[in-house]
Amino acid sequence: MGPIYSAEQSIPSQAFARCGQLRLGQLQISTPVFMPVGTRGAIKGAWIEDLREIGYRLILGNSYHLYLRPGSQLIEKLGGLHRFIGWNDGALLTDSGGFQVYSLSERVRLSSEGVEFRSHIDGSAHFFSPESTLQLQLAFGSNIMMALDDCPPAEASAERLQQSLQRTHQWAARTLAERSRLIEAGRWQFGRHHLFGIAQGGLDRKLRHESLDQIQSGDWDGIAIGGLSVGESREELHAMLAQLAPRLDPLRPRYLMGVGALPDLAAAIDCGFDMFDCVLPTRNARNGQLFTWQGRINIRNQRFAEDQAPLDGACNCRVCRNYSRAYLRHLFQAGEMLGPMMATLHNLHFYADFMHAARRAIRQGDWSAFKSRWEKIPEAP
């Protein structure tokens, strides 16, 4: 496979933080980059046009949910996921669905062959294998596809972690073999389709190193770290990222899965990670929690009832340009759906601006100061 990532040269940065370009077909995506999560083919509370306006070019879809509803056959029949959701000019990353199988499904049974589970929607029986999840993502037309992995919980025993590694590595080899078969069958489009492997290992440093070395030895287009932000403390997460930083392949994009809190993003960028996804900015927006350059705001608070200032005077999003904190609070208090939609637009805009500011700080040699600023999120005045 040809390289899809190029790091910028001569960046006066500190630690392992880096900027680069992710090439997905005709798209050039600057990294570090945050990917909004479109779990069921939609970013909750946002239009696709909103994402374009903000500047997003890469978003995430969830294979488990899309497989169950509306189904891969329908999506493929209607021209693939890009066309189905109106994202023809953007790129899509889909996960394998494994994490949702473990966290949402009923009566899950793992084996060397794959994972049997029952739908959380209607209880129907299903089976995911390394081969079937890759075929599923190919039917979606995904630009970046993820290998099926075994993601244990944070409190997993040593025995469970060892089982997870064994399955993850076995399934990774089968995923690569399935890609080879798809290439021979003429179904894999070079330049359009890309495949990432996932390293596991929980909070065990030895197992993490073993898994990362094993996955990085494979012919993957990118390397992902899974099984973090699943219940461990922030200190444990940051310590593990620091352990992995010097071992990460500099020639491939590094994707930290499911991490989205601002202090964690800053720590992960500091350790050389390039790609991130999380539902946090959209979920928090629906609950009235908004991010600004002055800190965090709970817009439901009484103190904003007569506040005529914009949500964030340093933000240029549609909400901050045109509406007051008082009006946004009113919408939440009145139960108007426009309130969460406005909050979602703002938070997505903030996250895009945060990544832009991080890239600028790395290039200008100001990364250390930027990271220190976001080690904790203050409450905005």
Side-chain angles (χ1 to χ4, degrees), residues 67-81:
Y67 161 79
L68 291 177
R69 190 167 52 194
S72 59
Q73 291 183 343
L74 176 62
I75 291 174
E76 186 173 25
K77 180 180 179 180
L78 296 179
L81 191 55

Side-chain angles (χ1 to χ4, degrees), residues 19-317:
C19 293
Q21 293 292 319
L22 184 64
R23 293 183 296 277
L24 301 175
Q26 301 300 313
L27 289 176
Q28 294 269 351
I29 297 168
S30 295
T31 63
V33 63
F34 180 81
M35 298 176 285
V37 177
T39 303
R40 298 174 178 85
I43 310 298
K44 287 186 184 298
W47 290 62
I48 282 290
E49 287 76 10
D50 294 334
L51 303 180
R52 289 195 188 94
E53 177 185 310
I54 294 169
Y56 287 106
R57 293 296 177 265
L58 176 61
I59 63 175
L60 182 144
N62 182 264
S63 294
Y64 169 86
H65 289 285
L66 292 167
Y67 161 79
L68 291 177
R69 190 167 52 194
S72 59
Q73 291 183 343
L74 176 62
I75 291 174
E76 186 173 25
K77 180 180 179 180
L78 296 179
L81 191 55
H82 292 77
R83 180 174 295 178
F84 187 58
I85 69 174
W87 189 239
N88 290 319
D89 55 347
L92 279 164
L93 180 151
T94 48
D95 59 18
S96 68
F99 178 78
Q100 283 70 29
V101 166
Y102 313 136
S103 61
L104 294 177
S105 303
E106 302 172 359
R107 295 167 56 184
V108 177
R109 190 175 78 84
L110 289 160
S111 70
S112 60
E113 292 304 309
V115 53
E116 297 177 18
F117 63 96
R118 290 192 174 274
S119 164
H120 73 288
I121 298 172
D122 59 10
S124 56
H126 302 272
F127 178 76
F128 277 174
S129 70
E131 295 82 5
S132 71
T133 55
L134 186 57
Q135 294 165 10
L136 176 65
Q137 295 175 81
L138 191 63
F140 294 150
S142 307
N143 300 105
I144 297 178
M145 309 176 207
M146 305 302 301
L148 182 66
D149 64 323
D150 179 357
C151 180
E155 69 277 9
S157 65
E159 180 182 6
R160 176 69 180 90
L161 288 176
Q162 193 64 59
Q163 291 173 348
S164 164
L165 243 63
Q166 183 177 2
R167 287 195 190 100
T168 294
H169 297 165
Q170 287 177 349
W171 292 352
R174 286 169 55 186
T175 301
L176 289 172
E178 178 62 12
R179 182 185 63 181
S180 296
R181 188 190 70 79
L182 292 168
I183 291 171
E184 291 177 3
R187 297 182 57 198
W188 192 269
Q189 297 180 37
F190 291 101
R192 175 176 174 79
H193 299 141
H194 308 283
L195 183 60
F196 282 32
I198 304 175
Q200 285 288 345
L203 295 175
D204 186 301
R205 293 181 179 182
K206 180 180 178 182
L207 293 183
R208 275 288 173 187
H209 292 170
E210 176 187 338
S211 188
L212 182 60
D213 291 346
Q214 175 68 26
I215 294 300
Q216 290 189 153
S217 69
D219 187 21
W220 308 96
D221 298 304
I223 304 300
I225 302 298
L228 293 175
S229 195
V230 292
E232 75 280 2
S233 69
R234 172 158 290 159
E235 292 72 22
E236 289 172 322
L237 169 63
H238 292 188
M240 182 54 67
L241 297 179
Q243 281 289 313
L244 297 175
R247 307 176 75 95
L248 294 169
D249 181 357
L251 302 180
R252 288 182 279 194
R254 301 94 166 254
Y255 170 25
L256 182 59
M257 305 179 73
V259 171
L262 297 175
D264 300 337
L265 291 178
I269 293 171
D270 193 57
C271 292
F273 286 91
D274 308 302
M275 302 167 60
F276 310 93
D277 79 279
C278 192
V279 298
L280 187 148
T282 50
R283 183 188 61 204
N284 284 23
R286 296 193 300 276
N287 292 320
Q289 187 178 94
L290 306 172
F291 300 100
T292 77
W293 290 103
Q294 295 76 43
R296 181 172 42 207
I297 283 177
N298 184 343
I299 199 62
R300 296 178 185 272
N301 285 350
Q302 174 63 31
R303 67 191 180 97
F304 298 121
E306 299 180 11
D307 192 338
Q308 298 183 60
L311 180 61
D312 184 352
C315 178
N316 194 42
C317 78

